[in-house]
Amino acid sequence: MTRRTLSFVFVLLLALSTAACDSRTATDHLNSARSLAAADDHRAAVIELKNALQKDPALAEARFLLAQSEMVLGD
């Protein structure tokens, strides 16, 4: 499997596991997004950053990283 496929599977499993019980904090989502962005999986990073901002809308670093990832994606 490619790294992109593995990242997609990871995010899919993460989404399914958190659908039932979302006990992750905004910081957890932010840390996950950092790792995904470092692996050049900016689409998954955007999802994690949006989740972080839902939990803590004042999280400035998440907003900054979200803007960076969206720029890389051309959005």
Side-chain angles (χ1 to χ4, degrees), residues 5-75:
T5 303
L6 289 173
S7 294
F8 175 76
V9 170
F10 170 75
V11 170
L12 182 62
L13 290 174
L14 183 64
L16 291 174
S17 67
T18 58
C21 177
D22 190 11
S23 62
R24 296 178 67 208
T25 65
T27 304
D28 293 336
H29 288 290
L30 181 60
N31 290 335
S32 178
R34 282 189 201 121
S35 298
L36 290 165
D40 288 329
D41 191 356
H42 292 279
R43 291 188 194 282
V46 165
I47 293 169
E48 286 293 327
L49 291 164
K50 287 181 178 181
N51 288 336
L53 289 169
Q54 281 184 336
K55 294 197 177 249
D56 184 1
L59 198 56
E61 185 179 0
R63 292 190 181 279
F64 178 74
L65 292 174
L66 179 60
Q68 280 185 326
S69 289
E70 288 183 340
M71 284 179 60
V72 169
L73 294 171
D75 291 340

